[in-house]
Amino acid sequence: MAMNIRRQCAEAALKDMLDWLERGGNVGVFDATNTTRDRRRMILDSINKLQYKIFFVESVCEDPEIIEENVKEVKVTSPDYKNMDKEEAIKDFLLRIQHYQTSYEPLSENFDRQLSFIKIFNQGERFLVNKINGHIHSRVVYYLMNIKLLKRSLYLTRHGESELNVKGRIGGNSDLSERGQNYAQALAKFVEQENIPNLKVWTSELKRTQQTSEHIEAPKECWKALNEINAGVCEEMTYEEIAVKYPEEFALRDQNKYTYRYPKGESYEDLVARLEPVIMELERQKNVMVIAHQAVARCLLAYFLDKNSEELAYLKVPLHTILKLTPVAYGCLIEEINLNVESVDTHRERPKNISRSRSIEAALETVPPHEE
């Protein structure tokens, strides 16, 4: 009876995923207990009818310490155990493991050699990869072989206020303002007081991030990939100047900020692709402080907080603030730490009027104040 109910639930979830793919979805993840050959055969039959590619991911863990830590930190915080006593939840899940062991049929490089799959042993101790088929499979393998389940925090902050920030000009490679230099001092003091173990500091190649990091006593690494979005012909211009000189471009960016590419420059979409190696390396690291730029910080924040492309382009990342991100089961904790050093506001919300024929006043409605 119970097995039939579980199978019906699995079939209903699979149908939901396939319906979503048929409506134009790109990649579906069917997260279920597909631990028997019978269950995997059911999945294969359903998916092969629609001619989709399928890739199995199996995680094998035989290390008692890893299992215990995983159950305590991950499983008992799942929705299955909401409002249940922690010790009772641990006992229940360990019984669930024992139950699955009685019917468990692992993927086999002999029996299942016609299938595409990856087996991960003891959270990345070793891997078995079989029959990779296409770009998506290879990207999934790349991601899974790089991700590490480590207790860690990412300290994400923008550079201190720059001279161009004060004037409302975007991009460029200016020095820090006096308040930006004060933030660099305050940031170093914060790091010293927190005494963060094994901290590494990553910056871009641009002066304002390196000047922000110069007082911090920690290993530093410079990444070209962390450079600010390239504004092309609009580099070092104010929003007012762009709206006057390139009114159509200014409107097009407001219409779709994520995909819009500055003439001779980049889009947020380009930036996300550029940051992929940084994200992969962050997944392998313990504690890292990334001193970056507004657009770069938005992309990293969106990855860890699971924000979509429309949300990404308007995430608020104020100057002189640290965002402490701590990955946990089913999400990421975020703590905002303001170091109480004044700065300009560089955040521009999407205006109500995004028409190409709008007035200059309407185009500049949400531009933050700055020095002339």
Side-chain angles (χ1 to χ4, degrees), residues 228-232 253 256-275 295-296 299 312-313:
E228 180 60 304
I229 191 170
N230 184 348
R253 190 165 194 262
N256 193 333
K257 191 175 178 182
Y258 181 75
T259 59
Y260 171 83
R261 180 179 290 119
Y262 283 105
K264 299 183 180 180
E266 291 179 299
S267 66
Y268 269 95
E269 194 169 26
D270 296 329
L271 185 55
V272 167
R274 169 158 54 96
L275 286 169
V296 171
C299 295
L312 178 156

Side-chain angles (χ1 to χ4, degrees), residues 7-247:
R7 184 181 179 93
Q8 288 170 13
C9 289
E11 289 174 348
L14 180 61
K15 183 178 184 303
D16 283 346
M17 184 189 74
L18 294 176
D19 287 345
W20 176 78
L21 287 170
E22 287 291 279
R23 293 195 301 271
N26 293 314
V27 178
V29 179
F30 184 52
D31 182 11
T33 311
N34 307 314
T35 51
T36 66
R37 287 171 183 158
D38 179 60
R39 175 68 71 84
R40 294 194 288 272
R41 192 176 301 112
M42 180 269 289
I43 295 169
L44 282 165
D45 289 344
S46 300
I47 291 177
N48 286 338
K49 288 176 186 176
L50 299 172
Q51 298 184 326
Y52 292 128
K53 292 181 180 179
I54 184 167
F55 185 73
F56 288 101
V57 178
E58 181 176 12
S59 178
V60 180
C61 190
E62 297 165 336
D63 186 320
E65 289 185 8
I66 295 177
I67 294 171
E68 182 180 1
E69 185 71 15
N70 183 264
V71 172
K72 286 181 179 178
E73 298 297 326
V74 180
K75 300 304 181 185
V76 299
T77 59
S78 78
D80 291 352
Y81 295 109
K82 188 178 181 181
N83 301 323
M84 183 183 284
D85 176 76
K86 188 173 182 179
E87 292 304 317
E88 288 299 314
I90 291 172
K91 287 180 184 177
D92 182 80
F93 194 82
L94 291 174
L95 287 173
R96 191 188 292 191
I97 292 174
Q98 290 178 14
H99 170 74
Y100 284 134
Q101 284 176 332
T102 61
S103 59
Y104 176 40
E105 295 174 301
L107 287 164
S108 164
E109 56 187 309
N110 296 317
F111 186 86
D112 299 305
R113 62 180 177 270
Q114 79 284 2
L115 300 181
S116 297
F117 66 82
I118 181 172
K119 291 184 72 166
I120 306 164
F121 296 88
N122 291 329
Q123 292 188 353
E125 191 177 87
R126 64 188 180 93
F127 302 88
L128 173 63
V129 180
N130 188 74
K131 200 175 181 181
I132 297 303
N133 186 8
H135 177 72
I136 298 296
H137 285 185
S138 66
R139 302 308 293 165
V140 170
V141 169
Y142 171 65
Y143 180 78
L144 292 174
M145 292 182 76
N146 277 279
I147 193 168
K148 301 294 179 185
L149 301 179
L150 302 169
K151 285 186 177 181
R152 70 196 194 279
S153 290
L154 166 64
Y155 297 83
L156 179 61
T157 182
R158 291 172 63 188
H159 54 80
E161 179 189 80
S162 72
E163 292 172 348
L164 288 182
N165 287 150
V166 174
K167 297 174 183 176
R169 297 187 177 278
I170 64 174
N173 190 21
S174 66
D175 293 309
L176 295 182
S177 68
E178 183 177 346
R179 293 188 299 197
Q181 292 169 13
N182 292 339
Y183 179 68
Q185 296 278 0
L187 186 61
K189 187 175 181 180
F190 167 83
V191 170
E192 183 181 2
Q193 291 174 340
E194 290 294 301
N195 193 26
I196 305 163
N198 304 308
L199 179 70
K200 296 179 181 178
V201 177
W202 294 0
T203 69
S204 74
E205 291 183 331
L206 302 178
K207 289 190 294 185
R208 54 194 185 274
T209 64
Q210 296 184 19
Q211 289 172 3
T212 305
S213 74
E214 64 182 352
H215 305 294
I216 299 173
E217 296 291 334
K220 300 181 181 76
E221 190 171 339
C222 177
W223 287 73
K224 184 177 181 180
L226 286 173
N227 286 0
E228 180 60 304
I229 191 170
N230 184 348
V233 298
C234 298
E235 280 283 313
E236 299 194 26
M237 293 176 68
T238 66
Y239 287 127
E240 291 88 346
E241 289 169 348
I242 299 170
V244 170
K245 189 172 183 179
Y246 304 111

